[in-house]
Amino acid sequence: MSTDAFVHPDEIRSMFSSAMSDMYRSEVPQYGTLMELVYEINQNKLEANPKLADSLEYNGELERIDLERHGAIRLGKPEELFNMRRLFAVMGMHPVGYYDLSVAGVPVHSTAFRPIDEEALKRNPFRVFTSLLRLELIEDEDLRHQAESILAKRNIFTADATKLIYLAEKNGGLTRIQAEQFVAEALETFRWHSDATVTLETYQKLHDAHRLIADVVCFKGPHINHLTPRTLDIDAVQQDMPKRGITPKAIVEGPPARSCPILLRQTSFKALEERVNFIGDRRDETLGTHTARFGEIEQRGIALTAEGRKLYDTLLAATRHAVQINAGGSNARDYETELADRFRAFPDDYETLRVEKLAFFRYSPTKAGLSAAKKGDLDPATPVNELVDQGYLRADPIIYEDFLPVSAAGIFQSNLGSDEQKNYSEQSNQDVFEQCLGAPVSDELALYAGLEHASLADALKTLGVRKNVA
Ligand code: OOG
Ligand code: NI
Protein backbone atom coordinates (compact mmCIF):
# COMPACT_ATOMS: atom_id res chain seq x y z
CA MET A 1 0.00 0.00 0.00
CA SER A 2 1.43 3.37 -0.93
CA THR A 3 1.77 5.81 1.95
CA ASP A 4 -0.69 8.28 0.50
CA ALA A 5 -3.50 5.72 0.05
CA PHE A 6 -6.69 6.68 1.89
CA VAL A 7 -7.48 5.19 5.28
CA HIS A 8 -10.84 3.37 5.23
CA PRO A 9 -13.60 5.37 7.01
CA ASP A 10 -14.26 2.31 9.23
CA GLU A 11 -10.68 2.51 10.46
CA ILE A 12 -10.96 6.24 11.14
CA ARG A 13 -14.12 5.48 13.15
CA SER A 14 -12.26 2.86 15.21
CA MET A 15 -9.40 5.27 15.83
CA PHE A 16 -11.85 7.98 16.87
CA SER A 17 -13.97 5.73 19.07
CA SER A 18 -10.93 4.45 20.93
CA ALA A 19 -9.49 7.97 21.33
CA MET A 20 -12.84 9.11 22.66
CA SER A 21 -12.96 6.21 25.12
CA ASP A 22 -9.47 7.05 26.43
CA MET A 23 -10.41 10.70 26.80
CA TYR A 24 -13.66 9.92 28.60
CA ARG A 25 -11.95 7.46 30.94
CA SER A 26 -9.52 10.16 32.01
CA GLU A 27 -12.26 12.80 32.35
CA VAL A 28 -14.82 10.56 34.09
CA PRO A 29 -13.12 7.86 36.21
CA GLN A 30 -16.39 5.98 36.89
CA TYR A 31 -16.52 5.18 33.18
CA GLY A 32 -13.37 3.07 33.61
CA THR A 33 -14.92 1.23 36.56
CA LEU A 34 -18.06 0.56 34.54
CA MET A 35 -16.04 -0.76 31.60
CA GLU A 36 -14.31 -3.26 33.89
CA LEU A 37 -17.61 -4.41 35.37
CA VAL A 38 -19.22 -4.81 31.95
CA TYR A 39 -16.21 -6.73 30.66
CA GLU A 40 -16.31 -9.17 33.60
CA ILE A 41 -20.04 -9.74 33.33
CA ASN A 42 -19.84 -10.27 29.57
CA GLN A 43 -17.12 -12.89 30.09
CA ASN A 44 -19.17 -14.70 32.75
CA LYS A 45 -22.26 -14.64 30.58
CA LEU A 46 -20.40 -16.07 27.58
CA GLU A 47 -18.83 -18.83 29.70
CA ALA A 48 -22.16 -19.77 31.24
CA ASN A 49 -24.01 -19.65 27.95
CA PRO A 50 -22.07 -21.33 25.11
CA LYS A 51 -25.12 -21.16 22.83
CA LEU A 52 -25.12 -17.38 23.06
CA ALA A 53 -21.37 -17.31 22.46
CA ASP A 54 -21.77 -19.50 19.35
CA SER A 55 -24.55 -17.38 17.95
CA LEU A 56 -22.62 -14.13 18.53
CA GLU A 57 -19.59 -15.67 16.92
CA TYR A 58 -21.56 -16.91 13.91
CA ASN A 59 -23.00 -13.44 13.39
CA GLY A 60 -19.65 -11.70 13.68
CA GLU A 61 -20.72 -9.94 16.87
CA LEU A 62 -18.32 -11.52 19.33
CA GLU A 63 -15.40 -9.42 18.18
CA ARG A 64 -17.31 -6.17 18.24
CA ILE A 65 -18.72 -6.58 21.77
CA ASP A 66 -15.73 -5.11 23.59
CA LEU A 67 -15.36 -2.30 21.05
CA GLU A 68 -18.98 -1.47 21.20
CA ARG A 69 -20.20 1.79 22.63
CA HIS A 70 -22.33 4.80 21.88
CA GLY A 71 -22.01 8.40 22.95
CA ALA A 72 -24.23 11.47 22.97
CA ILE A 73 -23.87 15.17 22.26
CA ARG A 74 -26.25 18.12 22.23
CA LEU A 75 -25.84 20.87 19.64
CA GLY A 76 -27.04 24.46 19.76
CA LYS A 77 -27.60 25.66 16.21
CA PRO A 78 -28.44 24.34 12.73
CA GLU A 79 -25.00 25.03 11.31
CA GLU A 80 -23.44 22.83 14.03
CA LEU A 81 -25.69 19.93 13.06
CA PHE A 82 -24.91 20.46 9.38
CA ASN A 83 -21.16 20.36 9.97
CA MET A 84 -21.41 17.51 12.47
CA ARG A 85 -23.00 15.43 9.68
CA ARG A 86 -19.98 16.22 7.49
CA LEU A 87 -17.54 15.36 10.30
CA PHE A 88 -19.19 12.00 11.02
CA ALA A 89 -19.34 11.16 7.30
CA VAL A 90 -15.52 11.16 7.24
CA MET A 91 -15.69 8.15 9.60
CA GLY A 92 -18.51 6.37 7.79
CA MET A 93 -21.27 7.46 10.21
CA HIS A 94 -24.58 8.65 8.76
CA PRO A 95 -27.80 9.98 10.25
CA VAL A 96 -30.36 7.25 10.93
CA GLY A 97 -33.78 7.84 12.46
CA TYR A 98 -35.55 10.87 13.89
CA TYR A 99 -36.31 11.13 17.61
CA ASP A 100 -38.67 13.70 19.04
CA LEU A 101 -37.66 14.28 22.67
CA SER A 102 -40.26 16.97 23.32
CA VAL A 103 -42.31 13.97 24.52
CA ALA A 104 -40.13 14.12 27.63
CA GLY A 105 -40.44 17.84 28.05
CA VAL A 106 -36.89 18.08 26.71
CA PRO A 107 -36.58 20.80 24.06
CA VAL A 108 -34.51 18.84 21.53
CA HIS A 109 -34.90 16.58 18.55
CA SER A 110 -32.29 14.05 17.56
CA THR A 111 -30.80 11.51 15.21
CA ALA A 112 -28.15 8.80 15.55
CA PHE A 113 -25.00 8.94 13.47
CA ARG A 114 -23.92 5.38 12.84
CA PRO A 115 -22.43 3.01 10.28
CA ILE A 116 -25.07 1.57 7.99
CA ASP A 117 -23.89 -1.46 6.09
CA GLU A 118 -23.29 -4.85 7.65
CA GLU A 119 -19.55 -5.00 7.16
CA ALA A 120 -19.09 -1.53 8.64
CA LEU A 121 -21.27 -2.42 11.63
CA LYS A 122 -19.23 -5.55 12.22
CA ARG A 123 -15.95 -3.67 12.11
CA ASN A 124 -17.07 -1.06 14.60
CA PRO A 125 -20.67 -0.10 15.39
CA PHE A 126 -19.78 3.16 17.21
CA ARG A 127 -22.78 5.52 17.23
CA VAL A 128 -23.46 9.01 18.51
CA PHE A 129 -26.93 10.10 19.62
CA THR A 130 -26.98 13.71 18.47
CA SER A 131 -29.55 16.26 19.61
CA LEU A 132 -30.29 19.74 18.39
CA LEU A 133 -31.66 22.29 20.83
CA ARG A 134 -35.04 23.69 19.80
CA LEU A 135 -34.77 27.29 20.87
CA GLU A 136 -38.28 27.93 19.54
CA LEU A 137 -39.57 25.96 22.51
CA ILE A 138 -38.17 28.54 24.97
CA GLU A 139 -41.17 30.66 25.86
CA ASP A 140 -39.39 33.75 27.22
CA GLU A 141 -38.55 35.78 24.10
CA ASP A 142 -35.69 37.79 25.64
CA LEU A 143 -34.05 34.67 26.93
CA ARG A 144 -34.46 33.01 23.55
CA HIS A 145 -32.70 35.91 21.83
CA GLN A 146 -29.98 35.93 24.42
CA ALA A 147 -29.35 32.21 23.91
CA GLU A 148 -29.29 32.72 20.15
CA SER A 149 -26.75 35.48 20.29
CA ILE A 150 -24.46 33.53 22.66
CA LEU A 151 -24.57 30.55 20.31
CA ALA A 152 -24.06 32.72 17.22
CA LYS A 153 -20.61 33.62 18.51
CA ARG A 154 -19.23 30.14 18.95
CA ASN A 155 -17.52 27.81 16.52
CA ILE A 156 -17.32 24.28 17.88
CA PHE A 157 -14.85 22.97 15.28
CA THR A 158 -11.13 23.72 15.18
CA ALA A 159 -9.79 25.34 12.01
CA ASP A 160 -7.83 22.19 11.19
CA ALA A 161 -10.85 19.91 11.69
CA THR A 162 -12.81 22.10 9.27
CA LYS A 163 -9.99 21.98 6.76
CA LEU A 164 -9.65 18.19 6.99
CA ILE A 165 -13.40 17.64 6.56
CA TYR A 166 -13.21 19.75 3.43
CA LEU A 167 -10.20 17.79 2.15
CA ALA A 168 -11.89 14.44 2.79
CA GLU A 169 -14.92 15.60 0.82
CA LYS A 170 -12.85 17.03 -2.01
CA ASN A 171 -10.40 14.14 -2.37
CA GLY A 172 -12.71 11.30 -1.36
CA GLY A 173 -10.73 10.33 1.74
CA LEU A 174 -7.86 11.07 4.10
CA THR A 175 -4.28 9.81 4.05
CA ARG A 176 -2.85 8.16 7.19
CA ILE A 177 -1.26 11.38 8.43
CA GLN A 178 -4.41 13.39 7.71
CA ALA A 179 -6.60 10.76 9.40
CA GLU A 180 -4.51 10.86 12.57
CA GLN A 181 -4.65 14.63 12.60
CA PHE A 182 -8.39 14.55 11.92
CA VAL A 183 -9.02 12.28 14.93
CA ALA A 184 -7.00 14.55 17.22
CA GLU A 185 -8.75 17.69 15.93
CA ALA A 186 -12.24 16.17 15.99
CA LEU A 187 -11.67 15.09 19.60
CA GLU A 188 -11.31 18.76 20.57
CA THR A 189 -14.98 19.35 19.74
CA PHE A 190 -16.09 16.64 22.21
CA ARG A 191 -13.81 17.57 25.07
CA TRP A 192 -15.07 19.03 28.34
CA HIS A 193 -14.22 22.75 28.81
CA SER A 194 -14.42 24.01 32.35
CA ASP A 195 -14.43 27.66 31.21
CA ALA A 196 -17.99 28.76 30.55
CA THR A 197 -18.69 31.35 27.82
CA VAL A 198 -21.12 33.28 30.06
CA THR A 199 -21.38 34.80 33.52
CA LEU A 200 -22.79 32.82 36.42
CA GLU A 201 -25.89 35.03 36.29
CA THR A 202 -26.62 34.21 32.64
CA TYR A 203 -25.96 30.55 33.32
CA GLN A 204 -28.47 30.58 36.13
CA LYS A 205 -31.14 32.28 34.04
CA LEU A 206 -30.77 29.71 31.26
CA HIS A 207 -30.62 26.93 33.83
CA ASP A 208 -33.89 28.10 35.37
CA ALA A 209 -35.57 27.98 31.93
CA HIS A 210 -34.30 24.41 31.48
CA ARG A 211 -31.13 22.71 32.70
CA LEU A 212 -30.54 21.38 29.27
CA ILE A 213 -30.53 24.85 27.73
CA ALA A 214 -27.73 25.92 30.07
CA ASP A 215 -25.81 22.77 29.22
CA VAL A 216 -25.95 23.48 25.49
CA VAL A 217 -25.62 27.25 25.44
CA CYS A 218 -23.03 28.13 28.09
CA PHE A 219 -20.02 26.15 26.95
CA LYS A 220 -17.53 26.26 24.11
CA GLY A 221 -18.58 22.99 22.62
CA PRO A 222 -20.86 19.94 22.81
CA HIS A 223 -18.93 17.94 25.42
CA ILE A 224 -19.58 14.22 25.03
CA ASN A 225 -22.01 13.58 27.88
CA HIS A 226 -21.74 9.79 28.13
CA LEU A 227 -20.16 6.75 26.54
CA THR A 228 -22.11 3.55 26.82
CA PRO A 229 -20.65 0.04 26.66
CA ARG A 230 -22.82 -2.86 25.51
CA THR A 231 -23.45 -5.57 28.07
CA LEU A 232 -24.82 -9.05 27.52
CA ASP A 233 -26.61 -8.97 30.89
CA ILE A 234 -27.89 -5.58 31.97
CA ASP A 235 -29.67 -6.89 35.09
CA ALA A 236 -26.40 -8.34 36.41
CA VAL A 237 -24.59 -5.03 35.78
CA GLN A 238 -27.42 -2.99 37.33
CA GLN A 239 -27.28 -5.24 40.40
CA ASP A 240 -23.50 -5.06 40.78
CA MET A 241 -23.07 -1.34 40.17
CA PRO A 242 -23.62 -0.27 43.80
CA LYS A 243 -20.85 -2.68 44.93
CA ARG A 244 -18.48 -0.56 42.84
CA GLY A 245 -19.75 2.73 44.18
CA ILE A 246 -22.08 3.49 41.28
CA THR A 247 -25.77 4.29 41.85
CA PRO A 248 -27.95 3.52 38.83
CA LYS A 249 -31.28 5.17 38.01
CA ALA A 250 -34.37 3.52 39.48
CA ILE A 251 -35.41 1.37 36.53
CA VAL A 252 -33.96 -0.17 33.40
CA GLU A 253 -35.55 1.58 30.40
CA GLY A 254 -37.10 -0.41 27.58
CA PRO A 255 -38.53 -3.94 27.46
CA PRO A 256 -38.34 -6.30 30.46
CA ALA A 257 -35.78 -9.11 30.79
CA ARG A 258 -36.65 -11.87 28.32
CA SER A 259 -35.11 -15.06 27.00
CA CYS A 260 -35.07 -13.50 23.51
CA PRO A 261 -33.97 -9.89 24.08
CA ILE A 262 -35.71 -7.34 21.85
CA LEU A 263 -34.65 -3.80 20.90
CA LEU A 264 -32.69 -2.10 23.63
CA ARG A 265 -32.55 -1.98 27.42
CA GLN A 266 -30.63 0.85 29.11
CA THR A 267 -29.81 2.25 32.49
CA SER A 268 -27.70 5.23 33.55
CA PHE A 269 -26.12 6.93 36.57
CA LYS A 270 -25.01 10.43 37.42
CA ALA A 271 -21.28 10.57 37.07
CA LEU A 272 -19.81 13.91 37.82
CA GLU A 273 -20.36 17.38 39.15
CA GLU A 274 -17.94 19.63 37.27
CA ARG A 275 -16.38 22.78 38.60
CA VAL A 276 -16.94 25.65 36.21
CA ASN A 277 -15.22 29.00 35.78
CA PHE A 278 -17.72 31.61 34.69
CA ILE A 279 -16.85 34.87 33.00
CA GLY A 280 -15.99 37.46 35.60
CA ASP A 281 -15.02 34.89 38.26
CA ARG A 282 -11.82 35.78 40.04
CA ARG A 283 -8.92 33.61 38.85
CA ASP A 284 -8.48 31.97 42.24
CA GLU A 285 -12.07 30.99 42.92
CA THR A 286 -14.54 28.62 41.34
CA LEU A 287 -18.05 29.72 42.10
CA GLY A 288 -20.16 27.31 40.18
CA THR A 289 -20.65 23.71 39.21
CA HIS A 290 -22.51 21.97 36.42
CA THR A 291 -23.60 18.36 36.03
CA ALA A 292 -23.27 17.32 32.43
CA ARG A 293 -21.68 13.96 32.23
CA PHE A 294 -23.12 10.60 33.18
CA GLY A 295 -22.64 6.91 32.65
CA GLU A 296 -24.90 4.44 30.91
CA ILE A 297 -25.01 0.78 29.90
CA GLU A 298 -27.11 -0.96 27.32
CA GLN A 299 -28.12 -4.43 26.23
CA ARG A 300 -29.15 -4.91 22.63
CA GLY A 301 -31.60 -7.43 21.23
CA ILE A 302 -33.36 -8.25 17.99
CA ALA A 303 -34.68 -5.46 15.70
CA LEU A 304 -38.47 -5.42 15.42
CA THR A 305 -40.59 -5.01 12.28
CA ALA A 306 -43.17 -2.21 12.15
CA GLU A 307 -45.71 -4.66 13.53
CA GLY A 308 -43.44 -5.82 16.35
CA ARG A 309 -42.62 -2.24 17.18
CA LYS A 310 -46.31 -1.36 17.33
CA LEU A 311 -46.86 -4.15 19.83
CA TYR A 312 -43.85 -2.95 21.86
CA ASP A 313 -45.07 0.66 21.88
CA THR A 314 -48.59 -0.40 22.89
CA LEU A 315 -47.41 -2.60 25.77
CA LEU A 316 -44.98 0.03 27.01
CA ALA A 317 -47.58 2.80 26.85
CA ALA A 318 -50.05 0.63 28.78
CA THR A 319 -47.41 -0.04 31.45
CA ARG A 320 -46.54 3.64 31.80
CA HIS A 321 -50.19 4.51 31.98
CA ALA A 322 -50.76 2.00 34.76
CA VAL A 323 -47.70 2.87 36.89
CA GLN A 324 -45.94 6.21 36.80
CA ILE A 325 -42.60 6.26 38.52
CA ASN A 326 -42.34 8.99 41.12
CA ALA A 327 -39.42 11.39 41.52
CA GLY A 328 -37.58 9.28 44.09
CA GLY A 329 -38.20 6.09 42.17
CA SER A 330 -39.62 4.36 45.28
CA ASN A 331 -42.31 2.55 43.25
CA ALA A 332 -39.80 1.16 40.73
CA ARG A 333 -40.61 -2.47 41.67
CA ASP A 334 -44.33 -1.92 40.91
CA TYR A 335 -43.34 -0.63 37.49
CA GLU A 336 -41.14 -3.64 36.83
CA THR A 337 -43.87 -6.08 37.81
CA GLU A 338 -46.40 -4.29 35.62
CA LEU A 339 -43.94 -4.25 32.69
CA ALA A 340 -43.21 -7.96 33.00
CA ASP A 341 -46.94 -8.76 33.19
CA ARG A 342 -47.86 -6.67 30.17
CA PHE A 343 -45.04 -8.09 28.06
CA ARG A 344 -46.31 -11.65 28.48
CA ALA A 345 -48.32 -10.71 25.37
CA PHE A 346 -45.07 -10.44 23.38
CA PRO A 347 -43.93 -13.86 22.07
CA ASP A 348 -40.59 -14.83 23.61
CA ASP A 349 -39.15 -17.42 21.24
CA TYR A 350 -37.34 -16.64 18.00
CA GLU A 351 -39.42 -19.03 15.93
CA THR A 352 -42.70 -17.29 16.76
CA LEU A 353 -41.12 -13.85 16.35
CA ARG A 354 -40.02 -14.92 12.88
CA VAL A 355 -43.13 -16.71 11.70
CA GLU A 356 -45.39 -13.91 12.97
CA LYS A 357 -43.08 -11.35 11.32
CA LEU A 358 -42.54 -9.41 14.52
CA ALA A 359 -38.75 -9.23 14.17
CA PHE A 360 -36.00 -9.20 11.55
CA PHE A 361 -33.72 -12.15 10.79
CA ARG A 362 -30.60 -12.82 8.77
CA TYR A 363 -30.93 -15.97 6.68
CA SER A 364 -28.10 -18.26 5.64
CA PRO A 365 -27.90 -21.79 4.21
CA THR A 366 -26.84 -24.53 6.63
CA LYS A 367 -24.30 -27.26 5.82
CA ALA A 368 -27.20 -29.69 5.37
CA GLY A 369 -28.86 -27.21 3.01
CA LEU A 370 -25.71 -26.83 0.94
CA SER A 371 -25.21 -30.54 0.58
CA ALA A 372 -28.89 -31.16 -0.26
CA ALA A 373 -28.64 -28.46 -2.91
CA LYS A 374 -25.49 -30.02 -4.30
CA LYS A 375 -27.12 -33.43 -4.53
CA GLY A 376 -30.12 -31.86 -6.26
CA ASP A 377 -32.42 -32.98 -3.40
CA LEU A 378 -34.09 -29.59 -2.99
CA ASP A 379 -37.38 -28.84 -4.66
CA PRO A 380 -36.94 -25.31 -6.09
CA ALA A 381 -40.48 -24.50 -4.98
CA THR A 382 -39.91 -25.24 -1.25
CA PRO A 383 -41.32 -22.39 0.89
CA VAL A 384 -38.93 -20.53 3.19
CA ASN A 385 -40.52 -21.72 6.42
CA GLU A 386 -40.22 -25.32 5.29
CA LEU A 387 -36.55 -24.85 4.48
CA VAL A 388 -36.06 -23.57 8.01
CA ASP A 389 -38.07 -26.46 9.50
CA GLN A 390 -36.04 -28.97 7.50
CA GLY A 391 -32.81 -27.48 8.80
CA TYR A 392 -31.64 -26.26 5.39
CA LEU A 393 -31.91 -22.58 6.14
CA ARG A 394 -30.88 -20.85 9.34
CA ALA A 395 -32.32 -17.61 10.71
CA ASP A 396 -30.36 -15.46 13.17
CA PRO A 397 -31.57 -12.32 14.93
CA ILE A 398 -30.61 -9.00 13.33
CA ILE A 399 -29.46 -6.77 16.19
CA TYR A 400 -31.18 -3.45 16.82
CA GLU A 401 -28.59 -0.72 16.14
CA ASP A 402 -30.73 2.32 17.00
CA PHE A 403 -32.32 4.07 19.96
CA LEU A 404 -35.78 4.35 21.54
CA PRO A 405 -37.37 7.75 22.08
CA VAL A 406 -39.19 6.89 25.31
CA SER A 407 -36.03 5.33 26.78
CA ALA A 408 -33.89 8.26 25.64
CA ALA A 409 -36.39 10.57 27.30
CA GLY A 410 -36.06 8.57 30.53
CA ILE A 411 -32.26 8.81 30.33
CA PHE A 412 -32.40 12.56 29.72
CA GLN A 413 -34.91 13.02 32.53
CA SER A 414 -32.94 11.00 35.02
CA ASN A 415 -29.77 12.93 34.30
CA LEU A 416 -31.58 16.21 34.54
CA GLY A 417 -32.24 15.29 38.12
CA SER A 418 -35.31 13.09 38.46
CA ASP A 419 -36.61 9.58 37.89
CA GLU A 420 -40.10 10.91 37.47
CA GLN A 421 -41.76 9.83 34.22
CA LYS A 422 -43.49 12.50 32.20
CA ASN A 423 -45.69 11.96 29.19
CA TYR A 424 -45.98 15.10 27.05
CA SER A 425 -47.69 15.51 23.73
CA GLU A 426 -45.57 15.24 20.60
CA GLN A 427 -44.16 18.17 18.70
CA SER A 428 -42.23 16.35 15.97
CA ASN A 429 -40.72 18.34 13.21
CA GLN A 430 -38.61 16.05 11.10
CA ASP A 431 -38.67 18.40 8.09
CA VAL A 432 -37.08 21.24 10.01
CA PHE A 433 -34.53 18.86 11.51
CA GLU A 434 -33.55 17.56 8.07
CA GLN A 435 -33.25 21.09 6.73
CA CYS A 436 -30.78 21.91 9.51
CA LEU A 437 -28.94 18.64 8.91
CA GLY A 438 -28.76 19.32 5.18
CA ALA A 439 -29.78 15.74 4.38
CA PRO A 440 -32.61 13.29 5.03
CA VAL A 441 -32.22 10.78 7.86
CA SER A 442 -32.40 7.10 6.85
CA ASP A 443 -35.41 5.11 7.91
CA GLU A 444 -34.11 2.43 10.28
CA LEU A 445 -36.92 -0.04 9.53
CA ALA A 446 -36.11 0.10 5.81
CA LEU A 447 -32.46 -0.65 6.62
CA TYR A 448 -33.31 -3.77 8.64
CA ALA A 449 -35.83 -4.93 6.03
CA GLY A 450 -33.15 -4.45 3.35
CA LEU A 451 -30.66 -6.59 5.34
CA GLU A 452 -33.22 -9.35 5.83
CA HIS A 453 -34.26 -9.38 2.14
CA ALA A 454 -30.69 -9.38 0.89
CA SER A 455 -29.68 -12.26 3.17
CA LEU A 456 -32.72 -14.31 2.15
CA ALA A 457 -32.22 -13.66 -1.56
CA ASP A 458 -28.56 -14.70 -1.27
CA ALA A 459 -29.33 -17.84 0.73
CA LEU A 460 -32.08 -18.95 -1.65
CA LYS A 461 -29.88 -18.35 -4.64
CA THR A 462 -27.14 -20.50 -3.12
CA LEU A 463 -29.68 -23.25 -2.43
CA GLY A 464 -31.17 -22.92 -5.91
CA VAL A 465 -34.66 -22.25 -4.52
CA ARG A 466 -37.17 -19.70 -5.83
CA LYS A 467 -38.49 -17.20 -3.37
CA ASN A 468 -41.59 -18.70 -1.77
CA VAL A 469 -42.15 -16.80 1.38
CA ALA A 470 -44.91 -18.73 3.15
C1 OOG B 1 -28.93 11.70 25.20
C2 OOG B 1 -29.86 10.76 25.92
C3 OOG B 1 -30.28 9.60 25.03
C4 OOG B 1 -29.79 7.11 24.82
O1 OOG B 1 -28.95 6.20 24.92
O2 OOG B 1 -30.99 6.89 24.60
C5 OOG B 1 -29.30 8.50 24.95
C6 OOG B 1 -28.50 12.89 26.02
O3 OOG B 1 -28.71 12.93 27.24
O4 OOG B 1 -27.91 13.80 25.40
O5 OOG B 1 -28.14 8.64 24.99
NI1 NI C 1 -27.15 6.89 25.63
Side-chain angles (χ1 to χ4, degrees):
M1 194 178 83
S2 77
T3 46
D4 57 2
F6 291 144
V7 180
H8 196 286
D10 293 345
E11 195 184 336
I12 306 181
R13 180 171 67 260
S14 284
M15 287 156 66
F16 181 75
S17 142
S18 115
M20 189 92 114
S21 183
D22 291 346
M23 179 176 85
Y24 203 64
R25 201 191 324 234
S26 70
E27 288 181 348
V28 182
Q30 276 192 325
Y31 170 68
T33 312
L34 184 70
M35 294 262 286
E36 280 163 27
L37 177 60
V38 166
Y39 181 79
E40 280 168 34
I41 286 178
N42 284 354
Q43 292 305 313
N44 294 345
K45 180 87 181 177
L46 289 170
E47 269 162 37
N49 197 338
K51 238 174 107 185
L52 175 69
D54 282 351
S55 151
L56 289 172
E57 168 133 47
Y58 185 83
N59 290 296
E61 276 184 69
L62 204 52
E63 285 161 56
R64 67 176 238 193
I65 287 283
D66 294 326
L67 290 178
E68 184 149 356
R69 55 184 83 93
H70 82 251
I73 51 170
R74 304 155 182 172
L75 303 171
K77 51 183 175 177
E79 171 200 328
E80 293 173 355
L81 182 65
F82 183 88
N83 288 321
M84 198 53 88
R85 172 179 57 76
R86 297 174 57 219
L87 179 141
F88 281 131
V90 176
M91 10 183 172
M93 294 160 77
H94 307 283
V96 179
Y98 171 77
Y99 304 92
D100 170 25
L101 275 303
S102 65
V103 291
V106 178
V108 301
H109 44 184
S110 320
T111 190
F113 287 97
R114 69 162 174 90
I116 287 185
D117 67 64
E118 257 189 321
E119 277 313 303
L121 282 163
K122 260 186 216 165
R123 284 201 202 107
N124 189 319
F126 183 58
R127 336 167 168 75
V128 177
F129 190 92
T130 303
S131 302
L132 177 65
L133 184 62
R134 298 174 73 181
L135 284 176
E136 77 274 15
L137 299 183
I138 304 185
E139 276 166 21
D140 178 338
E141 209 172 308
D142 286 346
L143 196 64
R144 189 164 68 233
H145 289 145
Q146 192 179 5
E148 263 160 11
S149 76
I150 298 167
L151 286 169
K153 287 189 209 115
R154 80 176 187 186
N155 177 1
I156 61 172
F157 303 98
T158 68
D160 282 338
T162 306
K163 194 178 83 192
L164 288 158
I165 293 168
Y166 167 78
L167 280 180
E169 287 171 347
K170 187 170 114 203
N171 300 336
L174 296 179
T175 63
R176 171 83 36 201
I177 291 175
Q178 289 170 338
E180 280 164 8
Q181 203 194 354
F182 169 81
V183 168
E185 293 294 331
L187 211 58
E188 291 306 308
T189 298
F190 298 83
R191 193 182 289 291
W192 167 251
H193 297 279
S194 52
D195 290 328
T197 55
V198 300
T199 61
L200 178 58
E201 192 197 343
T202 305
Y203 172 86
Q204 232 125 40
K205 260 201 321 205
L206 291 164
H207 190 277
D208 290 347
H210 199 298
R211 271 184 55 168
L212 192 99
I213 299 175
D215 181 56
V216 178
V217 175
C218 303
F219 298 92
K220 285 182 190 153
H223 34 262
I224 180 94
N225 64 41
H226 64 288
L227 269 187
T228 302
R230 174 173 166 194
T231 171
L232 298 170
D233 189 345
I234 199 167
D235 298 301
V237 181
Q238 170 102 346
Q239 204 184 334
D240 279 6
M241 282 196 317
K243 291 184 207 147
R244 313 237 175 163
I246 302 177
T247 314
K249 72 193 281 298
I251 57 145
V252 173
E253 296 287 347
R258 297 161 45 90
S259 34
C260 303
I262 51 172
L263 298 172
L264 175 64
R265 301 181 69 213
Q266 299 167 290
T267 180
S268 65
F269 58 89
K270 289 179 199 115
L272 219 52
E273 186 165 76
E274 329 265 359
R275 298 159 73 80
V276 177
N277 303 305
F278 290 98
I279 291 197
D281 286 357
R282 286 207 339 253
R283 280 242 162 264
D284 57 346
E285 61 179 6
T286 300
L287 292 178
T289 59
H290 176 70
T291 40
R293 273 105 54 86
F294 60 95
E296 185 190 40
I297 43 166
E298 65 184 15
Q299 180 173 357
R300 291 187 174 266
I302 192 167
L304 299 184
T305 60
E307 205 174 321
R309 180 56 185 267
K310 212 166 98 198
L311 180 57
Y312 169 78
D313 286 338
T314 307
L315 298 175
L316 186 70
T319 308
R320 290 169 60 91
H321 187 75
V323 182
Q324 269 155 40
I325 301 201
N326 56 34
S330 63
N331 59 345
R333 297 296 85 81
D334 299 342
Y335 177 85
E336 278 166 5
T337 309
E338 185 73 28
L339 185 72
D341 284 349
R342 298 266 172 185
F343 271 79
R344 279 188 234 294
F346 208 119
D348 195 10
D349 66 280
Y350 287 125
E351 197 42 26
T352 311
L353 292 174
R354 194 182 66 78
V355 175
E356 292 188 4
K357 295 196 178 2
L358 293 169
F360 289 111
F361 290 84
R362 179 183 297 102
Y363 290 92
S364 56
T366 60
K367 272 200 190 121
L370 290 173
S371 78
K374 212 164 155 197
K375 281 194 239 142
D377 285 355
L378 278 182
D379 177 353
T382 320
V384 168
N385 286 350
E386 242 167 75
L387 290 169
V388 175
D389 292 345
Q390 290 163 353
Y392 294 153
L393 197 57
R394 120 173 222 171
D396 288 280
I398 293 181
I399 289 296
Y400 189 62
E401 307 285 354
D402 294 287
F403 294 87
L404 296 168
V406 175
S407 300
I411 302 283
F412 262 102
Q413 211 57 53
S414 155
N415 293 296
L416 292 173
S418 158
D419 270 311
E420 189 176 11
Q421 289 180 342
K422 287 189 177 161
N423 302 299
Y424 284 78
S425 64
E426 281 193 16
Q427 301 195 43
S428 299
N429 206 337
Q430 186 167 343
D431 288 349
V432 168
F433 186 82
E434 290 179 336
Q435 271 163 32
C436 302
L437 185 67
V441 298
S442 300
D443 170 5
E444 63 275 27
L445 286 184
L447 294 177
Y448 298 118
L451 284 180
E452 182 180 274
H453 283 148
S455 73
L456 186 58
D458 257 16
L460 294 183
K461 196 167 156 213
T462 311
L463 293 177
V465 174
R466 284 195 300 272
K467 185 163 180 192
N468 293 289
V469 172

